Amino acid sequence: MADDKKPPRRERDGERQTGLVLDERTRTKKPPMYKVLLHNDDYTTREFVVWVLQTVFHKNENDAVAIMSHVHNHGIGIAGVYTFEVAETKVTKTLHLAKAQQFPLQLSIEPTD
Ligand code: TYC
C-alpha cells in the first residue's frame, strides 16, 4: 500500500494541548531540584541578608525578612529551591557579594527529597 502510516494520535485528557503528542519522558520527567540553604553567623548584618534574598533570590520584602529571621533564630533556612545549575549560580553570586563587604555568610546546596 502506498501510505499505510497511522496519523499522530490526538492528545489524551490532561496532556498539554500543543497539537503535538510528546514522548512520555518529555511530558513527565522533572529535573532534580536542590535547596539553597543559608547559614547563620554572628557578623553578617540582617540588612545584607534581606538585601541578598531580595536581589539574588527574588523574594519580596516580607518573605526576605521572614527567611532571614528564621535563619537568625534556627541557624539554617531555605533561601529557595532550584535546578542544580541555578542553585550554584545563586550561591556563587551571593558569596561574591558577601566577600566584597567582608561578611562571612555561608550557603550550601542540598537535594530535595
Ligand atoms: N545573625 C546575624 C546578626 O545577628 C544575622 C544573620 C541572619 C546572619 C541570617 C546570617 O544567614 C544569616 N547580625
Side-chain angles (χ1 to χ4, degrees), residues 62-93:
N62 276 341
D63 288 353
V65 170
I67 293 166
M68 181 282 296
S69 300
H70 176 94
V71 175
H72 177 75
N73 291 323
H74 296 91
I76 196 164
I78 300 170
V81 177
Y82 309 98
T83 59
F84 189 79
E85 194 175 329
V86 172
E88 257 195 329
T89 301
K90 290 188 187 297
V91 168
T92 301
K93 282 182 182 171

Side-chain angles (χ1 to χ4, degrees), residues 31-105:
M33 299 297 279
Y34 296 83
K35 295 180 266 191
V36 173
L37 299 172
L38 259 180
H39 298 255
N40 190 36
D41 68 71
D42 293 338
Y43 304 101
T44 307
T45 63
R46 293 172 183 239
E47 182 186 28
F48 177 80
V49 176
V50 170
W51 176 76
V52 151
L53 286 165
Q54 291 182 269
T55 58
V56 178
F57 294 90
H58 305 297
K59 303 298 179 183
N60 65 40
E61 179 159 19
N62 276 341
D63 288 353
V65 170
I67 293 166
M68 181 282 296
S69 300
H70 176 94
V71 175
H72 177 75
N73 291 323
H74 296 91
I76 196 164
I78 300 170
V81 177
Y82 309 98
T83 59
F84 189 79
E85 194 175 329
V86 172
E88 257 195 329
T89 301
K90 290 188 187 297
V91 168
T92 301
K93 282 182 182 171
T94 301
L95 290 175
H96 274 114
L97 293 166
K99 281 172 184 143
Q101 303 202 46
Q102 302 191 316
F103 289 136
L105 185 63

